[in-house]
Amino acid sequence: MTTPEQHAQVEKLMLHALSLASRGPVTGGNPQVGCVLVNDAGDIVAEGWHHGAGTPHAEVDALTTLGGDAAGLTAVVTLEPCNHHGRTGPCAQALLDAGVSRVVYAVSDPGANSAGGAERLRAGGVEVIAGIAQAEAEEFLHSWLTAARLQRPHVTVKWASTLDGRAAAADGTSQWITGTAARQHVHEQRARADAIVVGTGTVLADDPSLTARGDAGELLESQPQPVVLGRREIPAAAKLRQHPEQLRQFDGRDLNAALSELFEAGIRRVFVEGGPTIASAFIAAGLADELLIYLAPKLLGGPKVALGELGVTTMAEAKDLSITELRPLGNDVLIVARPAPSKTAAAQPAVQHPATEPTVAPATETEA
Ligand code: AOF
Ligand code: ZN
């Protein structure tokens, strides 16, 4: 695999393995992984992907599909084969036992227990090539890798605002800022999250249901677990209490502790939906890995801004972002942004932030 042609060919196979990976469930504790087995002529002889926690890993799925002798084959897999006995056996050993002669992977396994598959394969005499289509695979697995590396859930903070950054009018009305295309996009994002987080202020002001719904209002198959931050009681009649997933509540004073507990419970992707105080708290603490900002071509002016205090007092402390996506959604615009590389969570000092119950700031509307 050394000529440019061979490199291009294996890259194409890796992109195919990534597309297989995307057939698995995006939510839950396990990564989406794909694998193809290729013969010397470069033909794919078997495909596999991970179908969800507790089921065989992609490599074993491909070997099972192959059914027969894997001697001399190349395995192209999106994540470094694991080296641990988790719910299933180590894939590195399964590939060795099957007799593959080469393993190509895109991203190293960040897991403390599961890493080391590459060494095990090399020690067993298998040629191992790492880093093929790495950028694509890193992007594809962005949230899972972030969670695995930081040992806390990946956090997306979402808000909808007018072009002048207002999330509500002076009288508190906030439905609807954005149009249906943007709202539908939000529902798709909810379905891709393991948990959806709001403050008690939002629960009391908006009575959101926090379900992921389709065009016709029907419940989507995958529902995020609702999580409420704040000390005020959730009314017995709150729509949230009808959510198909179990409701959790934290007092909201220690976001890191809440995230750790959610991580322990298997939650890898958290979608923060308001209001402004909660969104600000995550950003101020350096815990927002991604921002989804839905901007409506409206102006409201006035005091009801989308974000509150961030602990920034001077320009030099501004939260620098990189825009990773910019796209029209109906008449609205979606901006996806991430912390600029120099200001990642790890590099940030912990910022003290007031309790997470909105007082002056309004509850943002929670349906985009
Ligand atoms: C997967 N699917 O295709 C691969 C994974 O809990 P377990 O035993 O299923 O192990 C999960 C870990 O195995 C996961 O965190 C990752 O490090 C590694 N590789 N996992 O779910 C796969 N190849
Ligand atoms: Zn494995």
Side-chain angles (χ1 to χ4, degrees), residues 57 59 81-82 84 88-91:
H57 290 179
E59 302 91 320
C82 69
H84 75 311
T88 61
C91 293

Side-chain angles (χ1 to χ4, degrees), residues 162-217:
T162 56
L163 286 187
D164 58 336
R166 266 54 178 195
D171 69 353
T173 50
S174 59
Q175 289 175 341
W176 303 101
I177 294 174
T178 53
T180 48
R183 297 210 295 274
Q184 194 47 49
H185 190 269
V186 170
H187 281 286
E188 287 159 23
Q189 302 314 303
R190 287 178 175 183
R192 296 172 63 84
D194 300 311
I196 183 164
V197 172
V198 294
T200 42
T202 295
V203 174
L204 295 171
D206 297 354
D207 191 22
S209 59
L210 300 183
T211 49
R213 301 186 296 279
D215 283 338

Side-chain angles (χ1 to χ4, degrees), residues 60-224:
V60 172
D61 190 47
L63 289 170
T64 306
T65 303
L66 179 73
D69 189 10
L73 297 182
T74 294
V76 178
V77 53
T78 56
L79 183 67
E80 178 185 7
C82 69
N83 192 32
H84 75 311
H85 278 279
R87 277 168 283 206
T88 61
C91 293
Q93 192 60 47
L95 291 165
L96 274 173
D97 294 345
V100 304
S101 55
R102 191 184 293 119
V103 171
V104 181
Y105 66 87
V107 188
S108 296
D109 190 326
N113 304 320
S114 46
E119 284 100 288
R120 182 165 177 156
L121 285 161
R122 285 198 185 99
V126 172
E127 181 187 358
V128 178
I129 301 169
I132 300 293
Q134 184 169 344
E136 289 84 350
E138 287 262 354
E139 186 53 38
F140 174 75
L141 274 183
H142 173 73
S143 54
W144 184 83
L145 287 169
T146 302
R149 287 169 184 156
L150 300 177
Q151 292 290 294
R152 61 150 175 87
H154 173 273
V155 175
T156 299
V157 174
K158 164 258 165 178
W159 71 82
S161 73
T162 56
L163 286 187
D164 58 336
R166 266 54 178 195
D171 69 353
T173 50
S174 59
Q175 289 175 341
W176 303 101
I177 294 174
T178 53
T180 48
R183 297 210 295 274
Q184 194 47 49
H185 190 269
V186 170
H187 281 286
E188 287 159 23
Q189 302 314 303
R190 287 178 175 183
R192 296 172 63 84
D194 300 311
I196 183 164
V197 172
V198 294
T200 42
T202 295
V203 174
L204 295 171
D206 297 354
D207 191 22
S209 59
L210 300 183
T211 49
R213 301 186 296 279
D215 283 338
E218 78 284 8
L219 289 183
L220 299 179
E221 198 182 312
S222 178
Q223 293 292 331

Side-chain angles (χ1 to χ4, degrees), residues 253-326:
R253 272 175 289 193
D254 187 343
L255 296 182
N256 280 297
L259 287 177
S260 294
E261 201 174 315
L262 293 173
F263 187 81
E264 287 306 314
I267 284 168
R268 297 292 176 269
R269 290 159 207 86
V270 160
F271 194 63
V272 178
E273 269 209 62
T277 310
I278 294 288
S280 308
F282 276 95
I283 295 170
L287 292 170
D289 303 301
E290 191 157 74
L291 304 178
L292 289 191
I293 306 163
Y294 298 85
L295 289 179
K298 294 180 169 78
L299 299 173
L300 280 168
K304 311 276 191 184
V305 290
L307 289 181
E309 206 40 68
L310 292 181
V312 172
T313 53
T314 184
M315 203 55 175
E317 294 169 3
K319 306 284 180 190
D320 287 328
L321 305 173
S322 307
I323 293 177
T324 57
E325 196 181 334
L326 183 63

Side-chain angles (χ1 to χ4, degrees), residues 195-199 210 225-229 247-250 262 267:
I196 183 164
V197 172
V198 294
L210 300 183
Q225 184 169 20
V227 175
V228 176
L229 300 181
L247 176 66
R248 273 175 189 263
Q249 185 167 13
F250 297 90
L262 293 173
I267 284 168

